Amino acid sequence: MLPPAPPGVVPYIAGWSEERLLTRPLVRRRVGPGIAYADETPYDRDSFGVLWVRYALRPKQRRGSPQLRNVHPYRQRRAMLNMMCQVCSRMPPDPHGPHLFLLRDSVGPIREGERTTSPPVCVPCAGISIQLCRALRGGRFVAAWARRVPAWGVVGPLHHPVTLQPVPGCHMEQVKYGSEWAPWVRAARTVVELRGVTPADLNREFAALGRDRLEEEFARVAELAAVA
């Protein structure tokens, strides 16, 4: 039922060689505790007031080569905020859900309240991902629909409240919004919580679309997400 995945698909949230971390010195925030940039703009913080790392954001033709093991912080944040497909960047048909999540099978089925930094996928891109993604191939995946996906927090390096220097051993820590460490983290990923979880049978989802529709969708994704 599942057509072969088109080669060369690069997920929307993937990092690229010419989109690098932009290092900026940190200063103490003027109002309230926490870190800030001296030349801070409104785009440097999310709606919860957490500071984000700065990364170069380039047109596709100037991004260089794909770095599939890396995730671009801005595109991951945007995908989570809008529940966009992490592969093709398609907006969800219903912004209120449910949304399909596809994760590596490490501890069994996706549980109620599970937290993840992996944005949702559309059904066709799930079919592509389980064929092309090295971490998911061979059936090493779990999938579920989540009716509600509230923001939980972020992942990023922590900074010492006195020195403002990175805390050793805390390079990519999960930090909950509103916690005591939230003002001292530079976020690199959004973390969401999956609520109203229902296991997804991908074979049934693929069958419902049918092979012809899947082939059309695969062609669409190949055009959108292929390396330029």
Side-chain angles (χ1 to χ4, degrees), residues 139-154:
R140 298 191 301 271
F141 63 85
V142 287
W145 295 96
R147 296 208 62 85
R148 301 180 306 283
V149 190
W152 180 88
V154 296

Side-chain angles (χ1 to χ4, degrees), residues 196-226:
V197 171
T198 303
D201 183 339
L202 291 187
N203 288 329
R204 181 178 296 177
E205 301 293 342
F206 300 148
L209 285 180
R211 188 179 179 92
D212 289 347
R213 174 71 185 282
L214 284 169
E215 288 179 347
E216 293 175 2
E217 289 293 319
F218 281 16
R220 175 188 65 84
V221 174
E223 184 177 355
L224 287 173

Side-chain angles (χ1 to χ4, degrees), residues 15 21 26 87 92 142:
L21 176 68
L26 294 174
V87 178
V142 287

Side-chain angles (χ1 to χ4, degrees), residues 19 25 33 36 38 72 78-79 93 99 112-113 119-120 133 169 173 182 219-221:
E19 293 185 320
H72 193 283
R78 182 169 181 252
H99 305 286
E112 180 71 18
C133 180
E173 294 295 304
R220 175 188 65 84
V221 174

Side-chain angles (χ1 to χ4, degrees), residues 129-167:
S129 298
I130 63 176
Q131 295 183 71
L132 297 185
C133 180
R134 190 171 298 178
L136 304 178
R137 281 194 305 228
R140 298 191 301 271
F141 63 85
V142 287
W145 295 96
R147 296 208 62 85
R148 301 180 306 283
V149 190
W152 180 88
V154 296
V155 170
L158 297 181
H159 294 264
H160 196 280
V162 175
T163 66
L164 307 187
Q165 295 301 308
V167 177

Side-chain angles (χ1 to χ4, degrees), residues 2 87 100 102 121-131 136 202 206:
L2 194 61
V87 178
L100 179 62
L102 179 66
V121 293
C122 62
V123 172
C125 285
I128 293 173
S129 298
I130 63 176
Q131 295 183 71
L136 304 178
L202 291 187
F206 300 148

